[in-house]
Amino acid sequence: MKKTATRLADGRELIYYDAHDDAVRDAVDPRPLPPVATRSEIRHDRLLGDHVAIASHRQARTYHPPADQCPLCPSRPGRPSEIPAPDYDVVVFENRFPSLAGDSGRCEVVCFTPDHDASFADLTPEQAALVLDAWTDRTAELAHLPSVEQVFCFENRGKEIGVTLGHPHGQIYAYPFVTPRTELMLRSLAEHRERTGRNLFDDVVADELADGSRIVLDGEHWTAFVPYAAHWPYEVHLYPKRRVPDLTALDEAARTEFPQIYLELLRRFDRIFGEGEPPTPYIAAWHQAPFGRRQQTTLADRGEFALHLELFTIRRTSGKLKFLAGSESGMNVFINDVPPEAAAERLREVASK
């Protein structure tokens, strides 16, 4: 992998990740952009104990532009974009409309491919491996920022999820706090260790493998399963079999197998609802250990946490979405219409040919 860092016209950082060392990345951003002015603010909810990002400048962000005006495609003569080069492999750049900025963290965009009409599932294993390299490198780099407590790499896919740019891309949020979902995991992890002397993540994976009814894919270095208490209609958790706290700690064997496992999962997601259905909307979310700068909310030993990816869709059946209504939105109590065992069986049925 070759990494080339440069700057856009308004001063934001842009990084090319290339599969070949001979790639030359000297294109200049010709746009007359003013300096980025953000108004991000983190506010603490005293009742719930969590945080809310107030980012009013995001109201002006690009919203469903036509394909020939997509800001994530490579630049063309007379049509400059966020990526100055006429082609690229993988690109990461600072978000022009970030939810988090400055002392409040950082937001980045990850463009998986220059092909506007593709999806992550269309990538080759080599391309998917390069995206993994980019996620890993950004996790390592963002970890050096003193204000950053946790790095979250994720992909929103589909208009139903709220995606405003159709080009295949993901995002990276570098939070200045431990996220509420991770706080809950850390609490359960500590309670399980105190009660049993064992690691909760290890026990969850071992129990799923022993039961077998919710296993979707089981490789040499990764296992994918629908969790016993799945919140979403179709939800899969993907774990490396050797527990590591974050992407930077994956060994070469796990990194090599990841593209095959992950691409197969994504392709099965697109087959859940049958031929002729529109692409399945989903969220793919990497859960990584916080950096432990706030010891009152994180484990002293980051090695207790288990890196994993959670992949889920809000579509519950053909033409119908799972809405977060009164119980989910009002009280955070999920009601799932699809039994996890049935979801796993369906995901096994739709294996790639």
Side-chain angles (χ1 to χ4, degrees):
M1 179 189 75
K2 181 180 181 181
K3 176 183 175 183
T4 307
T6 184
R7 293 280 173 180
L8 296 172
D10 54 9
R12 288 175 294 134
E13 186 177 22
L14 179 144
I15 306 165
Y16 294 98
Y17 293 90
D18 287 291
H20 302 288
D21 290 339
D22 58 355
V24 177
R25 299 301 183 187
D26 55 6
V28 177
D29 183 4
R31 298 173 296 172
L33 297 178
V36 174
T38 62
R39 292 172 292 280
S40 294
E41 177 188 357
I42 301 295
R43 296 188 180 182
H44 180 250
D45 186 320
R46 290 187 294 171
L47 287 180
L48 297 180
D50 59 9
H51 299 81
V52 177
I54 309 296
S56 60
H57 62 278
R58 285 175 53 79
Q59 289 280 37
R61 67 187 184 274
T62 309
Y63 187 80
H64 293 301
D68 62 354
Q69 296 178 33
C70 174
L72 306 185
C73 288
S75 289
R76 296 286 183 265
R79 194 192 64 76
S81 73
E82 289 281 67
I83 297 96
D87 196 12
Y88 63 83
D89 288 347
V90 174
V91 169
V92 176
F93 61 87
E94 287 184 78
N95 198 321
R96 190 176 178 185
F97 303 98
S99 303
L100 310 166
D103 292 338
S104 297
R106 176 164 162 141
C107 292
E108 299 181 340
V109 177
V110 184
C111 296
F112 303 140
T113 170
D115 185 350
H116 180 84
D117 297 317
S119 69
F120 201 116
D122 296 323
L123 301 183
T124 66
E126 292 73 24
Q127 290 173 309
L130 187 59
V131 175
L132 178 63
D133 288 342
W135 284 331
T136 304
D137 181 74
R138 296 314 302 152
T139 297
E141 289 294 318
L142 293 169
H144 294 310
L145 299 180
S147 64
V148 172
E149 179 60 38
Q150 187 174 6
V151 174
F152 177 45
C153 306
F154 65 101
E155 180 191 1
N156 296 329
R157 194 269 194 108
K159 290 183 179 180
E160 300 93 331
I161 298 295
V163 173
T164 57
L165 297 175
H167 194 103
H169 73 288
Q171 300 182 66
I172 301 174
Y173 278 20
Y175 295 105
F177 50 80
V178 179
T179 61
R181 190 171 177 85
T182 304
E183 290 272 23
L184 290 174
M185 291 184 193
L186 293 172
R187 186 180 71 188
S188 297
L189 186 58
E191 290 173 352
H192 188 80
R193 173 64 74 182
E194 178 69 22
R195 187 174 66 254
T196 69
R198 299 191 304 272
N199 181 277
L200 176 58
F201 290 108
D202 292 350
D203 283 358
V204 166
V205 173
D207 290 346
E208 291 293 350
L209 287 168
D211 179 278
S213 65
R214 290 175 296 275
I215 297 294
V216 177
L217 287 169
D218 189 32
E220 184 177 357
H221 303 285
W222 295 84
T223 189
F225 55 87
V226 178
Y228 173 77
H231 288 57
W232 299 95
Y234 291 90
E235 176 180 344
V236 175
H237 293 189
L238 177 64
Y239 279 78
K241 290 188 174 180
R242 183 179 71 87
R243 173 165 40 92
V244 295
D246 58 32
L247 290 164
T248 68
L250 286 173
D251 61 26
E252 196 58 36
R255 300 182 71 82
T256 299
E257 188 181 64
F258 171 78
Q260 289 78 16
I261 294 283
Y262 187 49
L263 291 173
E264 175 64 18
L265 276 180
L266 293 180
R267 291 161 187 167
R268 291 191 189 194
F269 256 58
D270 275 343
R271 292 183 172 90
I272 292 172
F273 304 104
E275 296 295 330
E277 286 290 321
T280 301
Y282 65 74
I283 293 174
W286 281 108
H287 291 263
Q288 305 193 82
F291 299 124
R293 297 187 174 110
R294 294 165 177 80
Q295 292 299 325
Q296 70 272 21
T297 57
T298 62
L299 293 176
D301 181 7
R302 294 184 73 239
E304 287 284 294
F305 196 88
L307 167 76
H308 64 283
L309 182 140
E310 298 185 7
L311 173 67
F312 59 91
T313 180
I314 62 171
R315 186 178 293 163
R316 57 186 175 86
T317 190
S318 179
K320 297 178 181 179
L321 301 180
K322 165 65 178 178
F323 291 102
L324 300 189
S327 185
E328 291 89 354
S329 294
M331 298 303 284
N332 200 28
V333 177
F334 275 69
I335 301 167
N336 190 352
D337 302 312
V338 181
E341 293 75 18
E345 182 177 3
R346 178 59 181 159
L347 284 162
R348 290 192 295 267
E349 290 174 350
V350 294
S352 297
K353 299 297 189 291

